[in-house]
Amino acid sequence: MISFPFVWVQAGLALVISLTALPIAAQSVHENHSGHAGQPSPASQVNSQTASDHANHAGGTISSSVPAQENMESMDHGDMQMQGATASPDARDPHAWSGGFTLTEGPYALSTTRTLVLADEHRFWAVLGDRLEYDPDNEVMVFDVQAWYGTTYDRLALKLEGDIADGRLEESRADLLWSHAISAYFDGQVGARFDQYDEGKDRQWLAFGLQGLAPYWFELDITAYVGERGRTALSMEAEYELLLSQRLILQPRAEITLYGKDDVDNGLGSGLSDAALGLRLRYEFSRQFAPYVGVEWTSKFGGTADFARAADEPDADTLWVVGLKFWL
């Protein structure tokens, strides 16, 4: 009977302690969550970050993206130049976008001579003696010299060719031409030709030519002529250089001439007038000085051959020559 009340006292104490502990636990739980209350929740962080990202993508503020989009939609697409459209007329004008300032006018004008000169603005000159040779059998000297002065694109060219016998100029041909580069390897040429004959009548021609380096390294010189009273002529010359070594060079050469009508005064017939085939072997002591020996076959055709036979002259000949090729 004594132990029963004691049990009830123990139970009552336990209940009191339990009821007392509940607020403490609740406070502890609340305190734990209150610790997170000072930090944004993961969900709020995601939402906040998402909003920030969209704000940044809009250029600072979300609201500013609306006018930008409206501006894009309100643009006049007719003003836009798509690739492949026609360029403006002044697209390559170097002064079109300088605000009126140039190298010769405005505050940036150069008061002295230009210091910057591009490569294609320099002027050069050259003299090339392609053939300066002597025929000992006929005691005739032949010269074929070219000279030019100018830039890479435009030059004044002079071509001289003729025969000298007994110290006297028998006949000669001089072409004075303006030469303009029309491609990487060819020049177009326009000018005049002057023919001089010791026994005959001098002629003058207008000249229209093409000179350059053809595929497979053939040097071509083709010129058409128009003279007085409807006279016409065509001259074609081709050369090739075969390097047997770095200094020993074999050079085949061919030349033909045609005339549109007879020239009795100078012994020339219409059609194919004459042709020459030559083969020369030279040794280059330097690129500028190269003596050579060679052989050349020449022949006259058609009316020109008839004029030669009537004058008791051969219509064909084979010449052994010695000569010099040079350039300055």
Side-chain angles (χ1 to χ4, degrees), residues 86-107:
T86 303
S88 59
D90 56 356
R92 300 189 65 180
D93 183 358
H95 305 308
W97 318 103
S98 64
F101 300 133
T102 69
L103 294 177
T104 57
E105 297 179 0

Side-chain angles (χ1 to χ4, degrees), residues 25-39 41:
Q27 183 178 2
S28 176
V29 172
H30 178 73
E31 289 178 352
N32 291 338
H33 286 289
S34 66
H36 292 290
Q39 301 292 332
S41 65

